[in-house]
Amino acid sequence: METSPPPTSAERVSRWRWLWILPRLAFILFVGGVALLLWMSDRADKEERRATLISDILWLEQNLRFHLTRNEEVLGRIDAAHTVSAAAFESFARTVFGFESGLRQLIWLGADGAVRQAHPITMDPSLVGDAGEAVPSRQSFRLARSLGKPVYSRAYPYFTNDWQFEVHVPVSREGSVVGVAIGVYRIRDLLGDSVPWWLAERYRISVIGDSGKVLGTRSKVESAVTEDGYQVGFDPPGWGLALHAVPYHAPRPLASVLLSVSLVILAMIVLWSLWVLRRHVLRRQLAEEQLRQEHAFRKAMEDSLDTGMRARNLDGEIIYVNPAFCRMVGWSAMELIGRRPPMQYWAEDYLDETRDIHDRILAGQGPEEGFELKLKHRNGSVIDVLIHEAPLIDAHGQQSGWMGSMVDITERKLAEQRVRQQQDRLQSTARLVAMGEMASSIAHELNQPLAAISSYCTGAANLLRHQTPATAVLPALDKAVEQARRAAQVIRRIYSLARPSESRFEKVGLGERLDAALALMEADIRQNGIRISLELSRQAEVDGDPVLLEQALFNLLRNAIESMRETAPDQRQITIALTCAEGYASLTIADRGCGIEASVAAQLFDPLFTTKPEGMGMGLAICRSVVENHRGRLSFEANPEGGTVFRILLPMIPQ
Ligand code: ADP
């Protein structure tokens, strides 16, 4: 089966990108909703304005009609008294003009159509002259006279700009028309008088002729108008006239502008914060992914380790174990994590020691160089481990616990023990063989002279017993002396065989020899858990045999180690100091062992003197002979801290 390659971190991040559609959609909906709201509010506003416009213009139209009708009535009430004299007519006209009738001129025509009175005086040719029947005034006059009711004329221009129209009101007396009262309206003035100021503020009000021409306007100074006006018929006067109102462009209310602006700003802020949030989240996702990969990588590394890893918090509670650790102790991570001391893998026989080291570590006093410990596997077997503890530092640089690495050294320890036992066996066999050889050679070599001495002495004794002159005894005694000398010679030779005769002297650094001797003893030192404290002066150089000096140091170190068998493990320490003073190198080896009792002190350097069951008693004897052979001195004293201090003094090579 074909498997697809694992997704990369960028791919994994992009998988979540679709989630961003939601906020985007929400944002688009939000902006759309706001725009719709604004549009609807604008529309409602417009509709309301239009409704107001319609009702306003209808009201105006009604007002004008009322106005014109009232004027008709007033004109119809003109009586003979008013029409007789010019003064009476003028006063009547003034009264009519006085109440904002919108009339600009009043004319009184007789039934024949001649102008009898006019105020102001008219020069209109259509009325005063013979302008023919086609003139609107004339037509209207006839119509009014014949109908007997008010008739409005067509609108006609007056000078260049203005337009006006007339109302012809027939006046009857006792059933017959006596004249016609004409009221002249100038459209511009009519609008000026009848349109109230508040309406003029809002709209441009115009009167439009049937051809669409504007005949008069009531307007403020020229200001912008919107296109959509409203028009109603202007009847009376009729004749296709219409009232047209166009609203001025009213500034939008400040609150609505503020609302729109703040909504736009809000939308932009939302968009910006969305963008910032997205960038932040994407970065976070990427970091998380990298972290996950890093974690997986580290976990794979930790899982592949043979070294057990275990982390504890500052209270000693286990917070992490790796698979190698679980394998070593036989418990699963689930069973170990969260446990507090005593742990299930602590060996019962070493409980005190284990707890002690555990407490020391938590107190920050654990051995930095690591330590060996015995633990118990779940199956009951005891394992040897080498542990290194290091502080566990968190992301803020604070110590949050301890991380311990653990190596299983059970196999190594067993192998070392086997080698050591083998070496011990070999050594003791070699010693026995050497001793045996030495003993047989001594016996063999000394047997002859001793037998000879014995027989010479027996002979001499016999001679003396028979009162033989002393001179006769002398040759036998001389021979006995000679044999004794030979025996001494044999002993010297054996002695010279025992001590390395061909010692080659050379420049020897005592520090290096000590290092070499320590290296030889390393396994013993480690096994016995001994700490070595060194203070070495590397200038200490002597003229001597490196092998012999190393042997002497080896013997002293071995004695020091062996003397501490009964010492408590944490007290096991050897302090070695090498100093130079007054031409001598002084080397002290101080142990914290059993010490030397006064009763045995005198025989310590005697060959074959030993207090150890397996000892040979030759170590110190050889040491002293080596040191003295180098013109030095070997001594010992009690260590004030317990144990013994052995001191070697050797003359240094003059600088
Ligand atoms: P061996 O070690 O084989 O016994 P040595 O000549 O080296 O022979 O030592 C003689 C004796 O001196 C030892 O048996 C021991 O009693 C004593 N001795 C030597 N070194 C020390 C020491 N550092 N502390 C206590 N006793 C010691």
Side-chain angles (χ1 to χ4, degrees):
M1 217 173 79
E2 208 171 291
T3 52
S4 53
T8 63
S9 54
E11 278 169 358
R12 248 178 251 165
V13 168
S14 70
R15 270 186 203 169
W16 296 100
R17 292 223 167 143
W18 67 267
L19 265 184
W20 287 106
I21 291 173
L22 288 183
R24 273 186 206 163
L25 206 68
F27 176 73
I28 290 168
L29 285 179
F30 170 72
V31 170
V34 166
L36 188 72
L37 206 73
L38 286 176
W39 179 76
M40 276 168 63
S41 112
D42 196 47
R43 228 175 83 118
D45 215 30
K46 270 190 189 155
E47 272 169 15
E48 197 186 309
R49 276 212 301 272
R50 191 155 180 81
T52 315
L53 164 70
I54 292 168
S55 78
D56 281 353
I57 196 148
L58 286 176
W59 177 85
L60 178 66
E61 191 265 340
Q62 208 175 12
N63 203 28
L64 280 171
R65 196 179 324 141
F66 167 74
H67 220 85
L68 295 179
T69 318
R70 191 192 58 184
N71 284 350
E72 283 170 23
E73 280 169 17
V74 171
L75 288 179
R77 282 203 296 270
I78 192 166
D79 57 22
H82 293 125
T83 56
V84 178
S85 72
F89 185 77
E90 192 184 322
S91 105
F92 175 74
R94 280 188 199 282
T95 319
V96 175
F97 294 164
F99 53 83
E100 288 190 347
S101 57
L103 286 165
R104 283 291 161 265
Q105 196 175 33
L106 211 60
I107 303 167
W108 172 247
L109 295 185
D112 54 354
V115 176
R116 299 281 158 70
Q117 298 291 349
H119 182 83
I121 303 294
T122 182
M123 296 301 289
D124 190 341
S126 65
L127 293 169
V128 295
D130 188 12
E133 291 300 309
V135 177
S137 273
R138 281 284 152 217
Q139 286 177 355
S140 305
F141 167 72
R142 281 183 217 293
L143 209 60
R145 201 180 52 188
S146 56
L147 290 176
K149 60 177 190 169
V151 169
Y152 283 83
S153 74
R154 268 177 182 279
Y156 56 90
Y158 175 76
F159 292 109
T160 39
N161 263 341
D162 286 342
W163 286 71
Q164 54 189 29
F165 65 88
E166 296 155 6
V167 57
H168 294 240
V169 182
V171 180
S172 307
R173 295 271 187 279
E174 292 150 7
S176 62
V177 173
V178 291
V180 174
I182 302 175
V184 181
Y185 293 98
R186 202 162 300 150
I187 292 178
R188 197 160 49 142
D189 293 344
L190 176 67
L191 291 178
D193 279 353
S194 328
V195 177
W197 64 268
W198 53 268
L199 211 64
E201 282 283 301
R202 285 197 218 154
Y203 313 104
R204 191 175 71 185
I205 312 278
S206 321
V207 172
I208 297 174
D210 51 359
S211 58
K213 189 170 170 55
V214 176
L215 306 182
T217 301
R218 163 91 202 243
S219 81
K220 296 196 294 181
V221 268
E222 275 313 302
S223 53
V225 288
T226 53
E227 287 309 310
D228 48 349
Y230 192 75
Q231 188 167 312
V232 290
F234 185 22
D235 190 16
W239 298 99
L241 289 191
L243 271 175
H244 186 77
V246 185
Y248 291 118
H249 181 73
R252 285 184 71 189
L254 187 66
S256 143
V257 174
L258 275 181
L259 184 73
S260 317
V261 170
S262 52
L263 280 174
V264 169
I265 292 176
L266 196 72
M268 279 164 69
I269 290 175
V270 169
L271 187 70
W272 177 77
S273 51
L274 212 70
W275 178 73
V276 170
L277 196 75
R278 180 172 181 270
R279 245 179 35 156
H280 177 73
V281 170
L282 281 181
R283 249 190 252 149
R284 248 194 117 89
Q285 276 179 352
L286 209 62
E288 263 176 31
E289 183 57 31
Q290 279 168 355
L291 207 70
R292 220 172 289 135
Q293 286 203 354
E294 176 91 13
H295 179 74
F297 174 71
R298 276 173 187 273
K299 189 159 166 35
M301 231 167 63
E302 282 165 17
D303 291 356
S304 68
L305 281 181
D306 272 345
T307 307
M309 307 283 288
R310 173 214 50 190
R312 291 178 294 178
N313 63 17
L314 292 172
D315 298 331
E317 183 183 317
I318 296 182
I319 52 173
Y320 167 79
V321 284
N322 75 342
F325 184 87
C326 295
R327 278 197 301 277
M328 269 180 214
V329 295
W331 297 89
S332 71
M334 292 261 287
E335 291 164 316
L336 290 170
I337 289 174
R339 289 297 295 253
R340 285 164 179 276
M343 307 297 180
Q344 59 266 60
Y345 52 81
W346 285 7
E348 286 90 359
D349 296 346
Y350 302 89
L351 218 52
D352 290 345
E353 196 184 331
T354 315
R355 181 175 277 285
D356 178 54
I357 196 104
H358 170 89
D359 292 346
R360 273 171 53 197
I361 289 165
L362 288 192
Q365 293 162 357
E368 281 172 20
E369 65 283 359
F371 56 93
E372 289 179 11
L373 203 64
K374 287 190 188 297
L375 297 179
K376 193 180 72 179
H377 191 272
R378 192 176 197 167
N379 63 16
S381 61
V382 173
I383 52 168
D384 283 289
V385 288
L386 178 64
I387 300 179
H388 282 90
E389 292 277 358
L392 193 65
I393 307 296
D394 67 12
H396 307 291
Q398 301 286 322
Q399 183 179 354
S400 60
W402 295 92
M403 172 62 89
S405 66
M406 203 160 96
V407 182
D408 188 345
I409 53 167
T410 316
E411 283 301 317
R412 199 179 82 192
K413 284 248 164 197
L414 279 175
E416 274 177 9
Q417 204 177 351
R418 275 198 295 274
V419 168
R420 215 172 19 257
Q421 281 170 353
Q422 214 166 0
Q423 272 178 351
D424 284 354
R425 269 201 302 278
L426 276 173
Q427 256 181 22
S428 61
T429 318
R431 269 190 220 141
L432 283 175
V433 171
M435 287 263 291
E437 274 179 7
M438 213 159 77
S440 73
S441 109
I442 291 170
H444 179 75
E445 293 281 336
L446 290 185
N447 199 24
Q448 243 187 324
L450 285 175
I453 290 168
S454 164
S455 67
Y456 285 132
C457 286
T458 313
N462 284 338
L463 285 174
L464 285 175
R465 229 176 263 121
H466 295 98
Q467 271 97 40
T468 317
T471 48
V473 182
L474 271 177
L477 287 177
D478 283 342
K479 288 217 171 99
V481 168
E482 198 186 325
Q483 286 303 320
R485 277 208 192 102
R486 216 184 123 214
Q489 241 178 13
V490 167
I491 287 176
R492 249 199 314 278
R493 224 179 66 222
I494 288 169
Y495 181 62
S496 70
L497 271 178
R499 40 181 278 195
S501 52
E502 285 184 36
S503 46
R504 278 172 294 140
F505 275 35
E506 57 188 67
K507 195 187 207 183
V508 179
L510 279 181
E512 282 102 73
R513 290 307 100 212
L514 193 66
D515 288 343
L518 280 169
L520 285 173
M521 299 300 297
E522 197 204 333
D524 287 279
I525 291 169
R526 215 180 41 237
Q527 201 187 20
N528 289 291
I530 294 169
R531 286 185 303 286
I532 303 287
S533 149
L534 283 175
E535 287 167 38
L536 298 187
S537 155
R538 294 279 166 192
Q539 281 96 49
E541 287 178 335
V542 297
D543 189 25
D545 185 322
V547 181
L548 290 181
L549 285 173
E550 189 181 308
Q551 180 67 39
L553 295 173
F554 176 85
N555 288 350
L556 291 178
L557 281 172
R558 201 193 52 206
N559 279 346
I561 292 167
E562 286 174 354
S563 76
M564 290 194 285
R565 277 185 182 154
E566 304 298 324
T567 308
D570 60 334
Q571 294 291 314
R572 292 179 186 174
Q573 178 169 340
I574 297 177
T575 309
I576 303 170
L578 176 57
T579 52
C580 308
E582 295 168 3
Y584 276 87
S586 159
L587 187 127
T588 55
I589 298 176
D591 60 58
R592 303 255 181 100
C594 55
I596 294 163
E597 283 178 26
S599 54
V600 297
Q603 319 163 56
L604 217 60
F605 293 106
D606 291 353
L608 301 176
F609 173 77
T610 180
T611 58
K612 303 168 192 166
E614 77 288 12
M616 250 180 57
M618 290 300 290
L620 284 181
I622 291 173
C623 273
R624 189 164 71 172
S625 103
V626 169
V627 171
E628 285 177 356
N629 208 19
H630 285 75
R631 293 176 292 122
R633 207 154 58 81
L634 174 65
S635 61
F636 67 90
E637 63 213 51
N639 186 353
E641 294 169 346
T644 318
V645 182
F646 275 85
R647 183 187 307 276
I648 295 176
L649 267 181
L650 286 171
M652 293 207 312
I653 300 174
Q655 299 290 315

